[in-house]
Amino acid sequence: MPAGLLAPSVRSFFCASAPFGIPNSRFGMPKDFIGAIFFQEFIAWYAKIDNHDAAKSKRGPVSLPDIGKTSSSAKPAFQMENDMRIPSILGALGLGLALGAAAFSAPAAAQDFPSGPITLVVNWPAGGGMDRAGRLVAEYAKKHVNVPIAVINVDGAGGATGVRHVADAKPDGYTIGILGASIISSQYVNQNANAIDDIDYLAFFGPDPAALEVRSDLGVNSVDEFIAKLKEASGSVKNGNDAPGGVSHIAAALLEAETGVKLSKVPYQGYAPTVAAILSGEVNSATLPVHQLIDQHKSGEVKILGVMSTERHFMAPDVPTFQELGVDLVAGDWRALYVPKGIPEEHKAALEKMLADTTNDPEFQDAAKKMGFVITPMDAAETTEFVKKSDAELYPILVEAGLVKVREK
């Protein structure tokens, strides 16, 4: 029987060996590479048998069991070739098993990441700017990984508790976090806070400049009037801000240092409770990012007197910067995404790509702008450099303001 007429069932069996093959995305080989090798070896071996049977047809057909039971001490040439072919076939099968196992081990695991839910940790309470930013990232990042991304809030200690939660998490890539500029000041205020080098950064979200907001019933309509009121009665204004080390606390401390006044600083665990405090009248002023109180500014309930940035905020173009008013004050938050140290490089690369795709997504950027966020995407290396540069620039300011309690340089 010619090899080409080999029974379809036999051909199907060897073509079905494709599970041992290598996907086209790996090594550049055809998917049924191993099946093809094994099939060709079998064809050649079977053809030798078939040709020999035809040559000795005068003695009648010889079955496969007959060939295996020959008692001649001198093996026919075709059988010697067959004996040599069989190890070759077995070798091909062994190669298939080895490559197949490799294909479904480490490389497959890397390509399959993430294969389960990811947890995104926000280090401030629900409802604040960090929380809204984290949930926005999670919502749009799901489009790029097709796995659930659960957002949890782990707040406390000026944001340091949430950072610790991520830094101590299992380094497998399934726990990531979003943090802000408070990580820089916290490391100098709180001995138990993580230092900036304790984690690995993945991506930059964007800056979030602070501002000075006051209740309308305070009777103050400008930064100059605010400063004059405090110089007349030091500590007479209760300012809502983060706990020591938090961004709005730093903004308030720098405001005091630059203008020579003294506030009565009232600490809150995050932006959301600070907003509630100024709206209820529990405090008279706040040093929060613009978007936290922009609606109340537009309604007249609150007045934003000045923005602590080098340029005016797009949501409040009517509000001058402190620099325009002659006060060299630039302060505020920024946001970045990060992971524990020690996660596999391929997992880190996959997460970095996920976040790059997310922050560069036009739909994401439009949604962020509507929420008052400024989006300036940066990759892992750029974000790491930014954090280190921010640390170097902020440290002397913190020293001058008397806020460095630990890790003195």
Side-chain angles (χ1 to χ4, degrees):
M1 179 178 65
L5 299 179
L6 193 64
S9 60
V10 178
R11 183 182 297 273
S12 299
F13 172 77
F14 288 108
C15 288
S17 62
F20 295 105
I22 311 299
N24 288 334
S25 60
R26 307 232 180 89
F27 311 127
M29 296 182 181
K31 185 177 181 181
D32 58 349
F33 172 68
I34 302 305
I37 292 177
F38 194 66
F39 181 68
Q40 289 174 0
E41 291 286 351
F42 182 85
I43 292 288
W45 178 71
Y46 194 92
K48 288 288 186 180
I49 298 173
D50 192 54
N51 291 339
H52 178 73
D53 286 348
K56 49 189 269 188
S57 60
K58 292 181 180 180
R59 292 189 294 149
V62 179
S63 66
L64 291 177
D66 290 336
I67 293 173
K69 295 177 181 178
T70 180
S71 60
S72 172
S73 59
K75 295 183 179 181
F78 85 91
Q79 189 173 344
M80 293 178 67
E81 281 197 52
N82 292 339
D83 290 345
M84 296 174 66
R85 284 279 186 181
I86 290 172
S88 177
I89 296 170
L90 295 176
L93 180 58
L95 176 63
L97 291 171
L99 290 179
F104 287 99
S105 59
Q111 288 191 351
D112 289 343
F113 176 84
S115 59
I118 293 173
T119 299
L120 192 157
V121 178
V122 177
N123 64 332
W124 292 95
M130 194 69 71
D131 179 66
R132 291 191 292 151
R135 294 181 188 278
L136 185 67
V137 169
E139 178 184 350
Y140 282 86
K142 287 186 292 187
K143 298 195 308 180
H144 303 287
V145 289
N146 295 318
V147 298
I149 301 179
V151 178
I152 64 172
N153 299 84
V154 182
D155 58 278
T161 303
V163 176
R164 173 67 64 188
H165 182 87
V166 176
D168 291 346
K170 183 178 180 181
D172 56 8
Y174 287 96
T175 300
I176 65 177
I178 184 169
L179 53 67
S182 63
I183 189 174
I184 294 178
S185 52
S186 291
Q187 67 183 333
Y188 300 118
V189 175
N190 182 356
Q191 181 65 53
N192 296 319
N194 289 98
I196 61 170
D197 295 329
D198 291 347
I199 54 178
D200 285 337
Y201 303 92
L202 292 174
F204 193 73
F205 181 92
D208 201 4
L212 172 61
E213 301 96 354
V214 297
R215 287 179 55 85
S216 293
D217 59 13
L218 185 63
V220 170
N221 297 301
S222 68
V223 170
D224 286 341
E225 290 182 15
F226 184 80
I227 294 172
K229 181 177 181 65
L230 283 169
K231 286 190 173 181
E232 182 179 339
S234 181
S236 60
V237 176
K238 291 188 291 184
N239 187 78
N241 43 254
D242 297 328
V247 171
S248 62
H249 176 269
I250 298 297
L254 294 177
L255 174 63
E256 291 176 317
E258 289 295 326
T259 59
V261 299
K262 183 66 176 176
L263 293 163
S264 291
K265 297 190 289 296
V266 182
Y268 294 93
Q269 290 297 330
Y271 293 164
T274 306
V275 169
I278 191 172
L279 294 182
S280 68
E282 190 173 310
V283 296
N284 314 113
S285 69
T287 42
L288 298 172
V290 172
H291 63 86
Q292 290 293 325
L293 289 164
I294 187 63
D295 292 337
Q296 291 78 10
H297 170 72
K298 291 178 178 178
S299 69
E301 186 177 1
V302 168
K303 296 178 182 178
I304 302 177
L305 301 182
V307 179
M308 303 177 190
S309 178
T310 57
E311 57 185 35
R312 296 192 179 196
H313 197 282
F314 73 91
M315 295 192 80
D318 58 316
V319 179
T321 67
F322 272 84
Q323 288 185 336
E324 289 179 64
L325 300 172
V327 180
D328 189 17
L329 176 57
V330 176
D333 210 350
W334 46 258
R335 298 182 176 90
L337 293 116
Y338 66 105
V339 289
K341 277 192 172 295
I343 74 169
E345 287 300 322
E346 60 270 21
H347 290 192
K348 190 188 300 183
L351 291 171
E352 184 179 354
K353 182 180 185 305
M354 174 191 78
L355 294 171
D357 291 342
T358 300
T359 54
N360 285 284
D361 182 346
E363 291 185 5
F364 168 82
Q365 293 183 351
D366 287 344
K369 186 173 183 179
K370 289 177 182 177
M371 295 175 69
F373 296 124
V374 177
I375 304 299
T376 55
M378 289 193 285
D379 62 23
E382 293 170 327
T383 304
T384 301
E385 182 180 355
F386 173 87
V387 173
K388 290 182 176 180
K389 182 180 179 182
S390 297
D391 177 57
E393 292 175 345
L394 185 58
Y395 182 77
I397 297 174
L398 296 174
V399 170
E400 186 176 348
L403 296 174
V404 175
K405 309 298 181 182
V406 295
R407 296 188 177 97
E408 294 184 22
K409 297 180 181 180

